[in-house]
Amino acid sequence: LTEFVLGSVAVAMGTVLLPKLSKLHVLTDKKAFEETVNWGLSLAFIIGIPASIGLMMLSKPLLAVLFMRGKFTLFDVQMSTNSLIAFSIGVTAYFMIRVLAPVYYSRQDTKTPVKFGLIAIGVNIFLQFILVNYFAHAGLALSSAIAAWVNALLLVLGLYHQNIYKINNLFKRQFLAIIPANFALICILYGAQQLGDFWIKQVFMLRLSALFGIILGAVLVYFWVLHICGFNLKRLKNSA
């Protein structure tokens, strides 16, 4: 489920950003370069944060509705839920990596992202030996999520250190608008969690319809709150 989100959106973002950033780097248009990076990060946070929250809070309903049949039992749902929650912690970081790594590549710097990636791999391996003792199989997922955040933060710090990128005021205002929107999202998904055994005992089509309705409603409310908080989605689209 996490790979579906990353593969359908995050990978596409990186594919779009690289040629545009490369062109701006050649033209030495630093302002447009930074604006493009801000656009990518804004999109990463707009999609990545709610995706992370959604996968985390709807982990059990999603797994129960999509996979619980045949030999995939309630116990398997619960065990998979723990892993999905742990993986979800790193979703936003994976989005950031897909935006930030092309910034380095566009400047013909392939060594730095590889170096940071190797550090993240080392952190991942080290944490696996520790976390698996406390969280069993979910510890493997959690170590991957933490390593993703280490990688993302190293990429950000590297750009700051090289004076390539700085956060502008528009990005700060946009990020503040995301906070109440995600709070509204959490409230809706919390209500879905309270349905409890509904996701286990009801007939498949009823559960599927309810899950689809909740996700659709949550998405609409999320973007509505973004809009009333002053987040200009049209400006974001025009910056692409």
Side-chain angles (χ1 to χ4, degrees):
L1 291 171
T2 55
E3 291 301 323
F4 172 77
V5 175
L6 297 173
S8 59
V9 182
V11 173
M13 287 170 55
T15 303
V16 169
L17 279 171
L18 181 56
K20 186 170 185 179
L21 289 171
S22 299
K23 179 181 178 181
L24 293 173
H25 175 64
V26 171
L27 296 174
T28 64
D29 191 342
K30 186 174 181 180
K31 182 180 178 181
F33 190 91
E34 289 186 355
E35 288 177 351
T36 302
V37 177
N38 275 319
W39 170 82
L41 284 176
S42 295
L43 200 59
F45 288 130
I46 288 172
I47 301 174
I49 294 176
S52 178
I53 293 171
L55 287 170
M56 197 177 298
M57 298 189 69
L58 289 181
S59 54
K60 188 172 183 178
L62 280 167
L63 291 167
V65 172
L66 296 177
F67 301 112
M68 196 181 74
R69 60 184 60 86
K71 293 186 178 181
F72 199 92
T73 65
L74 179 58
F75 175 78
D76 299 316
V77 169
Q78 187 57 56
M79 294 297 101
S80 301
T81 295
N82 297 337
S83 295
L84 183 55
I85 291 173
F87 268 124
S88 300
I89 295 172
V91 167
T92 307
Y94 288 118
F95 270 85
M96 292 175 63
I97 293 168
R98 288 295 180 178
V99 171
L100 296 171
V103 179
Y104 291 89
Y105 299 144
S106 68
R107 298 170 56 84
Q108 290 80 50
D109 179 6
T110 57
K111 292 182 179 179
T112 304
V114 171
K115 180 173 66 177
F116 292 158
L118 290 174
I119 294 172
I121 290 172
V123 170
N124 190 0
I125 294 172
F126 174 75
L127 289 177
Q128 283 181 2
F129 286 106
I130 298 174
L131 296 179
V132 74
N133 294 317
Y134 296 95
F135 304 105
H137 63 286
L140 302 176
L142 183 58
S143 65
S144 297
I146 295 173
W149 276 108
V150 170
N151 195 355
L153 293 175
L154 286 173
L155 290 170
V156 172
L157 292 174
L159 293 177
Y160 266 82
H161 179 71
Q162 298 181 36
N163 198 29
I164 298 172
Y165 166 73
K166 290 204 171 34
I167 297 173
N168 60 24
N169 291 327
L170 176 60
F171 178 81
K172 292 176 183 177
R173 291 196 299 271
Q174 289 176 336
F175 186 81
L176 289 175
I178 294 174
I179 296 174
N182 281 289
F183 179 76
L185 180 69
I186 290 171
C187 291
I188 294 173
L189 299 184
Y190 177 77
Q193 285 184 326
Q194 304 314 301
L195 294 176
D197 288 344
F198 171 87
W199 303 111
I200 305 298
K201 297 180 179 179
Q202 291 297 329
V203 296
F204 171 74
M205 287 308 299
L206 182 59
R207 291 182 289 143
L208 181 63
S209 300
L211 183 62
F212 178 79
I214 288 169
I215 293 174
L216 179 61
V219 169
L220 292 175
V221 169
Y222 173 77
F223 281 104
W224 177 71
V225 176
L226 269 183
H227 177 71
I228 64 175
C229 287
F231 196 106
N232 194 328
L233 293 172
K234 288 184 179 180
R235 179 183 296 175
L236 187 66
K237 181 179 178 181
N238 294 334
S239 299

